[in-house]
Amino acid sequence: LLSRRQRQMCIRDSSQISRIIFLIRAIQMIQQTAPMTLLELVDRIKEKSNDTLLSTISANGGKAEIKSIAPLETAGHGDVAFLANSKYRDAAGACKATALVLTEEDKQAIWGEKEPERIVVITRNPYAWFAYALQIIFPQEQPEPGVDTRAVVEDGAVIDSTATVEAGVVIRKGAQVGPYCFVGANSVIGEGVVLGEHTRIYPNVTIYYGCRIGRRNIIHSGAVIGADGFGFAPLDRQYVKIPQIGAVETGDDVEIGANTCIDRGALQNTTIGQGTKIDDLVMIGHNCQVGKNVVLSGRTGLAGSTIIGDNVQAGGGSGFAGHLKVAAGSIIGGGAGVPSSIEKPDYYAGYMPAMPHREFYNILSVIKRLPEMRRQLKHLAEKVDFLKKEPQFDSFVDVAIS
């Protein structure tokens, strides 16, 4: 047992260590947010986008010092702000940021032919510009490589020397953790799982055996990758479990949100294409094939064997019945149900928007009467067809018109 003095010394030393750690982190943060010129920022965005996002700075604006990014309403000296939605043009015109990023069209709408008396950056996609700028000005802190002594690594697992494995992590035999990967606390990496380089696994993620995760993936807390698909064969009012012997495979640059579940395939792999972004609380059933650069918003559900084409966007709460195909480039509105295949890309919606509750119940009462109204309409159509065959029908029509 420690004496009172020894305990006091430990507390004092611990406090000093905490202050040192705080100072180190503060210095790191200062380094991360060090000012740069607008020209330097524009050049780095060009480089980061592989020369696909170019920018033009107004005269004498390149040397302006940029410290941070801020919204239109609150931006001030040293900030850069962006206009990504034309309905905020008034706010952009009054913005006090050092530099304003917008399209040529919005610039013309705000100032006309007159050159704005401020620094502007013209680009074709201010929103993407903003995303790259955030990555540059506020880079993600890179953790120290190494395996925490409180992690469990089974024999036969391979962890690259540049990877980081936090406390409580379990890595099963045959798993491979690639260069510069990060595996957060209490995550489980199953037998034979492969994590591609620069992949980031946040705390409390579970990746079942045999799954393959591409490079630069981000998987958020609570996600479960590779659980058994929902497969059961009915027999005499009971259900026989179908072993799910496939796995899950993701392409490069995939992001998977918190508490999302992607089930393993029954015989073939469930696949997620390169560049696809999946929100929180999304359910992807077994054998689904999700294409490249797909966006699935929160609470979207894909029943088994759904095939989603490239560049599809699905709004929150949308559902897919399974064993169907959705054409590349399709947009599914929030809350819409997709009961069958979509062969032609378009904007599909099908969920009633919110309205005053009395109006909704009036519409609901009409919907309930639709079968009866259909029968009545059919009966009336039959009567009209019968009357058309009568000789006096034409004269009846003439009298009715007159």
Side-chain angles (χ1 to χ4, degrees), residues 16-201:
Q16 289 175 344
I17 291 169
S18 297
R19 284 197 294 271
I20 292 169
I21 292 172
F22 174 82
L23 288 172
I24 291 172
R25 288 179 177 172
I27 292 169
Q28 289 174 338
M29 183 60 68
I30 292 169
Q31 290 173 342
Q32 288 174 357
T33 58
M36 65 181 69
T37 67
L38 185 57
L39 180 59
E40 288 172 339
L41 180 58
V42 163
D43 286 344
R44 290 190 61 183
I45 289 173
K46 177 185 175 184
E47 179 185 2
K48 205 168 182 67
S49 68
N50 296 318
D51 293 348
T52 61
L53 192 59
L54 306 180
S55 311
T56 302
I57 306 173
S58 60
N60 301 319
K63 294 182 180 179
E65 190 176 79
I66 301 300
K67 298 178 181 178
S68 189
I69 300 176
L72 293 169
E73 297 81 4
T74 61
H77 181 71
D79 294 330
V80 60
F82 72 101
L83 174 63
N85 190 324
S86 296
K87 71 180 183 180
Y88 298 114
R89 283 172 177 168
D90 289 345
C95 180
K96 299 185 183 303
T98 292
L100 176 65
V101 182
L102 71 172
T103 63
E104 179 66 31
E105 180 184 356
D106 283 328
K107 175 193 166 190
Q108 293 291 333
I110 297 171
W111 290 285
E113 297 302 321
K114 180 183 176 182
E115 279 300 312
E117 296 179 357
R118 59 164 309 133
I119 299 171
V120 295
V121 178
I122 304 301
T123 186
R124 65 185 178 88
N125 191 328
Y127 200 42
W129 198 101
F130 157 74
Y132 281 123
L134 277 177
Q135 292 179 20
I136 293 165
I137 296 175
F138 300 101
Q140 192 168 47
E141 184 180 350
Q142 296 302 314
E144 289 294 323
V147 179
D148 193 286
T149 56
R150 292 163 293 179
V152 175
V153 180
E154 293 185 350
D155 292 342
V158 178
I159 301 174
D160 191 88
S161 60
T162 59
T164 302
V165 178
E166 290 194 329
V169 170
V170 176
I171 299 180
R172 301 292 186 190
K173 62 181 180 181
Q176 300 177 39
V177 179
Y180 303 102
C181 283
F182 171 83
V183 185
N186 302 316
S187 292
V188 177
I189 308 301
E191 183 177 340
V193 167
V194 176
L195 301 183
E197 62 186 61
H198 288 282
T199 283
R200 190 172 188 88
I201 308 296

Side-chain angles (χ1 to χ4, degrees), residues 310-352:
D310 296 344
N311 299 107
V312 168
Q313 301 174 43
S318 55
F320 298 78
H323 296 276
L324 56 81
K325 297 181 179 180
V326 178
S330 299
I331 300 175
I332 312 300
V338 181
S340 57
S341 291
I342 293 176
E343 298 178 357
K344 179 183 177 183
D346 205 336
Y347 189 156
Y348 295 86
Y351 191 77
M352 189 175 292

